[in-house]
Amino acid sequence: MGEAGFAASEHLLILRPFAWPDSWHDDLRRAFPTLQITALELDGRPLEESVPKDILAEATIIALGGRYLPLPESIPDIKFVHTFSAGADGFVKQPYITQTNLPLTTSSGIHGPPISEWVLLNWLVSSKHYNRLYEAQKSHEWVSREFGQFGVSDHVGERVGILGYGSIGLGRVAVAMGMQVIAYTASPRDTPESRKDRGYIVPGTGDADGTLPIEWHHGTTKEELRHFLSTTKLDHVVVSLPLTPATTNLFDREEFDAWSSSLSSAPGTRKGFLTNIARGKIVNTDALIDAVRSEKIRGAALDVTDPEPLPKDHPLWDVEGIQISPHISGYNSNMACSDAKDIPSPTRQHESPSITDPPRPDTPTSYQPHVAVTTFKDDESATSPSSIVSESPTPTAKNGLRPGIYAPTLAFFHTEKEDLDTKTTTKHAVRMVQAGIAGLVVHDTIGEVAHLSRPERKVLTKATRAALDSEGYNHIPLIVGCNAQSTRETVELCFEAQFSGAGYALVLPPFYYKEQCKSECLRVFFTDVADASPIPVLVYSFPGITGGVDINSDMMADLAQNHPNIVGCKLTCADMGKLNRIVSATRAVNRSFEAAEQKDCCRYGFVCLGGNADFLIQVLAGEGSGAVCGLANITPRACVNLFDLWSNGNYHDAASLQAAVARGDWLVTKSGIPGLKSLLQHYFGYGGYARKPLPRLSKQEEIILRESFQELINIELRLQ
């Protein structure tokens, strides 16, 4: 799909389930200026009846809501279809699935917070008898004396069984209310590792480590479910399962009887409450109505029904104690635009989990972004649960990085409120590439990544990629820093980087728990990240940032030689002995190697990059690939010229220029990001200030810095 996520020839057709603000489409066009975008609103009919034929025929990617997928014959150029739904069960019998091998991508994982809030809302409406209070308000009645007779209760100590415990995040909400969570899954989860949720979880929600349930149960048959219901004394049961032949009518009269008998033996007058956020056909509607009317359970909250939509004259509407909503628990207007902008490029396949469990493959590739991919195997029926296969994007073939100077871009902010200044960011990126930079690194340590939120990171990555593409620099690689302390979050950042337009991920070792994560732990970390990352990985060694945690040459060589998705390294440790050993072990690509082979070997070699400009010729003398130079933000031509002089054998002039570059680099190192931005502001008219708490230079400090830096600026100006 290209480094920007979409090639210039792509035509994205967005078929909206409801009206969207025009600003959402404007955001998309700014993020992908070369992408042709058409947006239409659906009217509930099949696509061929509601969308002009020529528009369907021209689309290469379709993102849609609603119940219908396009017919294969109407979409000759399609590459994949994305649905805003979390599941694909409603599509498995449609011709797009049964007659083609084209991918269908879903929005699995992003609906957790709104669904959890919907469940909580309905629990409280029931337990607090809010409907009665609302009716009293409408009739202007003050019912404080009568309120105690309603049987109002709280949820502290209540037991909730979740059928299909996973990434929705309801467990955390229940625990926060003082409830006890009992998990029910298809397969046994007997170990801490097996209880971890490998799917996408919205940050700050969910139960990634699977530590919230006080009990874990499992089963796939109705008999096993009845045993679970009859022995666990559950105040609440939440149905969160996919609809399959095995789960159709899973909850029937016998299951309600088993559940009711469990509570009838408990102290007090407890009655269960059923919540269905999955699919209506999982619960037998007639059995549910009878269970509520006969007071086997006290009520139910249904976001889904059978049939659906529910006819106006259906008896389910009028059952006291049943609360119904029209399949809207996952709605969140804030996520729709993000979902549309984060459509993936699906290619790599791995084995699927059980259909009755939330997606959780056993391999590290199970780290998923919030867009999951579903395809169907050729040799299996599309209605077979085992035929559903999750996929994630394929890493780029090793390797598209060439020898040269790479610039770690700065993040720029508006002065008053410190909001992102994307206009200056993109202007700066283009200026550096015009000076001959081989590639850009976004969110490197010098880019104030520690001051950026994850949404801000995505904005800057997308803006940088879009700016380069719009100026004709779509061949320039974009490397993005993906640094976090856990494997899981690091992989999430890699996915976000890819979807934002990055071609490579630059990854530091974790260091917060450095005393507990030694050599083997670090090797496993980088292996797991590289296994799961949709883009190639460069290992970043910078002990000054990571509290002394370093990746030695033995480990670096082992990772490079044994993992095809680890394609390079950046060494800011300035350890030339390490660099020499890595270059030798990996046969790192460099200018002399490329020339000697008389072919474009840099497409296939490991890149070994230094991390500063002040030892660039030492890197090149050791046959390294080049360097990522923070100094290139101010003097990109001087850095590129130094690389060219040495590579072309002009060693005397290279040594002379290296001395000036080293003096300038030392000034920038001492003054840090505030000094770098001060110099940019003075010499090029933009730069501004770093985000607080980083300080601003005093006037006197700025004057001294400029006077000392003038030597290198003069060289830069002569090279223009």
Side-chain angles (χ1 to χ4, degrees):
M1 300 293 290
E3 277 200 278
F6 299 102
S9 60
E10 305 294 358
H11 182 179
L12 171 62
L13 173 59
I14 301 175
L15 301 176
R16 306 168 302 193
F18 49 83
W20 289 0
D22 290 338
S23 61
W24 290 3
H25 303 133
D26 294 338
D27 289 343
L28 274 171
R29 292 185 175 97
R30 280 192 293 270
F32 304 105
T34 62
L35 178 65
Q36 182 180 352
I37 300 173
T38 302
L40 302 173
E41 190 169 338
L42 294 173
D43 60 9
R45 294 180 295 163
L47 304 188
E48 286 69 23
E49 299 177 18
S50 57
V51 180
K53 292 182 179 179
D54 58 332
I55 293 179
L56 277 176
E58 293 173 0
T60 58
I61 303 162
I62 296 178
L64 53 76
R67 297 177 293 160
Y68 298 104
L69 298 178
L71 295 174
E73 59 268 24
S74 67
I75 46 171
D77 295 331
I78 205 70
K79 293 183 177 178
F80 67 93
V81 174
H82 174 80
T83 172
F84 300 132
S85 170
D89 55 275
F91 305 117
V92 295
K93 295 183 179 181
Q94 296 191 28
Y96 179 88
I97 300 300
T98 61
Q99 298 177 15
T100 80
N101 292 318
L102 292 167
L104 172 67
T105 68
T106 73
S107 303
S108 176
I110 65 172
H111 303 92
I115 290 177
S116 294
E117 292 177 9
W118 181 93
V119 172
L120 176 59
L121 165 71
N122 279 274
W123 285 353
L124 295 176
V125 165
S126 175
S127 65
K128 304 302 181 186
H129 295 276
Y130 181 75
N131 289 337
R132 296 192 187 185
L133 292 174
Y134 181 62
E135 291 301 323
Q137 177 184 341
K138 289 198 298 182
S139 60
H140 300 186
E141 295 181 66
W142 194 261
V143 293
S144 59
R145 291 187 178 182
E146 296 87 345
F147 190 65
Q149 302 174 9
F150 292 172
V152 176
S153 63
D154 60 34
H155 292 76
V156 177
E158 290 189 341
R159 293 166 60 84
V160 53
I162 302 178
L163 309 184
Y165 189 80
S167 61
I168 285 178
L170 182 58
R172 179 183 285 204
V173 173
V175 169
M177 296 176 65
M179 303 173 76
Q180 297 176 333
V181 176
I182 294 86
Y184 189 82
T185 60
S187 55
R189 308 281 181 86
D190 298 329
T191 65
E193 187 65 25
S194 68
R195 293 173 180 176
K196 291 182 178 180
D197 190 339
R198 305 296 191 184
Y200 175 79
I201 297 176
V202 175
T205 70
D207 181 19
D209 293 326
T211 58
L212 296 179
I214 63 170
E215 299 174 22
W216 287 81
H217 301 258
H218 67 275
T220 57
T221 67
K222 290 172 71 71
E223 291 76 14
E224 289 169 319
L225 176 60
R226 285 197 292 272
H227 177 74
F228 170 70
L229 294 170
S230 65
T231 58
T232 47
K233 295 181 171 57
L234 300 173
D235 299 282
H236 292 266
V237 171
V238 178
V239 180
S240 180
L241 299 169
L243 180 64
T244 71
T247 61
T248 300
N249 280 334
L250 181 68
F251 222 105
D252 210 331
R253 298 182 191 278
E254 295 83 358
E255 286 68 42
F256 283 112
D257 288 343
W259 183 14
S260 176
S261 67
S262 171
L263 290 178
S264 65
S265 62
T269 57
R270 293 164 59 189
K271 299 288 184 182
F273 189 85
L274 179 76
T275 304
N276 190 357
I277 54 175
R279 291 293 185 265
K281 291 182 181 295
I282 296 174
V283 178
N284 183 288
T285 300
D286 292 338
L288 171 63
I289 292 174
D290 290 346
V292 175
R293 285 178 171 169
S294 64
E295 298 185 352
K296 290 180 181 178
I297 63 174
R298 63 181 172 88
L302 307 176
D303 187 48
V304 290
T305 61
D306 179 29
E308 188 175 310
L310 195 64
K312 287 188 175 183
D313 59 352
H314 198 283
L316 192 62
W317 287 112
D318 300 316
V319 180
E320 185 174 355
I322 293 182
Q323 300 156 193
I324 301 171
S325 64
H327 207 149
I328 48 78
S329 66
Y331 277 25
N332 179 353
S333 60
N334 292 329
M335 76 174 59
C337 183
S338 172
D339 192 30
K341 289 190 288 187
D342 289 344
I343 299 168
S345 171
T347 48
R348 190 174 66 194
Q349 177 173 307
H350 55 69
E351 292 304 313
S352 71
S354 166
I355 191 63
T356 54
D357 276 355
R360 49 182 310 278
D362 295 327
T363 65
T365 54
S366 64
Y367 292 99
Q368 293 291 316
H370 74 253
V371 185
V373 182
T374 301
T375 63
F376 298 85
K377 296 179 181 178
D378 294 340
D379 57 348
E380 294 176 321
S381 166
T383 59
S384 167
S386 63
S387 68
I388 296 181
V389 180
S390 297
E391 296 188 335
S392 54
T394 298
T396 304
K398 184 176 179 178
N399 180 11
L401 298 177
R402 62 186 176 92
I405 300 299
Y406 291 76
T409 61
L410 298 175
F412 297 96
F413 310 102
H414 293 291
T415 301
E416 187 173 341
K417 295 184 178 180
E418 296 189 344
D419 294 332
L420 289 180
D421 182 355
T422 55
K423 183 177 180 180
T424 298
T425 298
T426 56
K427 169 186 172 183
H428 180 66
V430 171
R431 183 179 79 85
M432 287 188 290
V433 172
Q434 289 173 338
I437 293 297
L440 296 180
V441 183
V442 182
H443 310 322
D444 202 344
T445 46
I446 204 171
E448 290 188 69
V449 63
H451 291 167
L452 300 176
S453 67
R454 281 174 64 168
E456 286 178 325
R457 293 187 192 187
K458 291 196 288 185
V459 167
L460 289 184
T461 303
K462 290 178 179 180
T464 302
R465 182 71 267 171
L468 296 182
D469 291 349
S470 66
E471 294 293 327
Y473 295 112
N474 57 334
H475 63 286
I476 295 295
L478 195 62
I479 305 168
V480 170
C482 298
N483 304 309
Q485 295 305 303
S486 71
T487 304
R488 181 188 186 88
E489 187 177 6
T490 302
V491 172
E492 288 177 355
L493 290 172
C494 291
F495 273 101
E496 289 178 5
Q498 187 220 21
F499 294 147
S500 300
Y504 302 85
L506 180 66
V507 179
L508 280 166
F511 55 88
Y512 191 87
Y513 298 107
K514 63 181 181 179
E515 295 304 319
Q516 302 172 54
C517 191
K518 301 292 188 179
S519 178
E520 178 61 17
C521 174
L522 295 175
R523 187 192 65 78
V524 171
F525 167 79
F526 280 108
T527 300
D528 286 350
V529 169
D531 279 343
S533 174
I535 51 179
V537 172
L538 288 84
V539 177
Y540 187 5
S541 177
F542 192 178
I545 286 290
T546 56
V549 175
D550 196 8
I551 307 299
N552 63 38
S553 56
D554 291 339
M555 185 185 302
M556 195 79 76
D558 178 67
L559 291 170
Q561 292 168 347
N562 294 303
H563 205 298
N565 207 29
I566 294 179
V567 300
C569 64
K570 176 190 174 186
L571 305 179
T572 310
C573 53
D575 186 336
M576 295 309 303
K578 179 202 290 189
L579 181 141
N580 294 149
R581 292 188 292 273
I582 294 171
V583 167
S584 175
T586 62
R587 200 164 175 252
V589 64
N590 54 64
R591 275 287 181 87
S592 60
F593 175 83
E594 181 181 357
E597 295 293 322
Q598 293 296 307
K599 61 182 180 179
D600 190 13
C601 295
C602 62
R603 290 181 56 200
Y604 307 102
F606 185 86
V607 288
C608 186
L609 301 167
N612 286 98
D614 63 356
F615 59 96
L616 176 57
I617 65 171
Q618 288 88 340
V619 170
L620 300 178
E623 298 192 334
S625 309
V628 181
C629 304
L631 185 66
N633 282 281
I634 311 176
T635 56
R637 285 180 170 81
C639 294
V640 171
N641 185 241
L642 175 55
F643 177 87
D644 290 340
L645 287 172
W646 182 271
S647 299
N648 294 328
N650 195 339
Y651 303 130
H652 181 271
D653 289 347
S656 177
L657 180 55
Q658 176 69 84
V661 165
R663 288 190 288 270
D665 199 50
W666 179 235
L667 293 170
V668 169
T669 299
K670 290 190 294 182
S671 60
I673 297 170
L676 196 58
K677 289 191 169 184
S678 173
L679 290 170
L680 274 172
Q681 186 68 49
H682 179 72
Y683 290 114
F684 299 100
Y686 68 90
Y689 302 103
R691 267 185 175 169
K692 296 177 181 178
L694 289 184
R696 299 180 181 182
L697 299 187
S698 68
K699 292 296 183 183
Q700 185 62 28
E701 288 172 327
E702 287 185 329
I703 292 172
I704 294 173
L705 177 60
R706 293 169 196 163
E707 290 176 349
S708 302
F709 201 80
Q710 192 63 47
E711 173 195 22
L712 192 54
I713 280 292
N714 291 339
I715 294 173
E716 180 74 12
L717 295 176
R718 287 199 299 269
L719 292 170
Q720 287 185 352

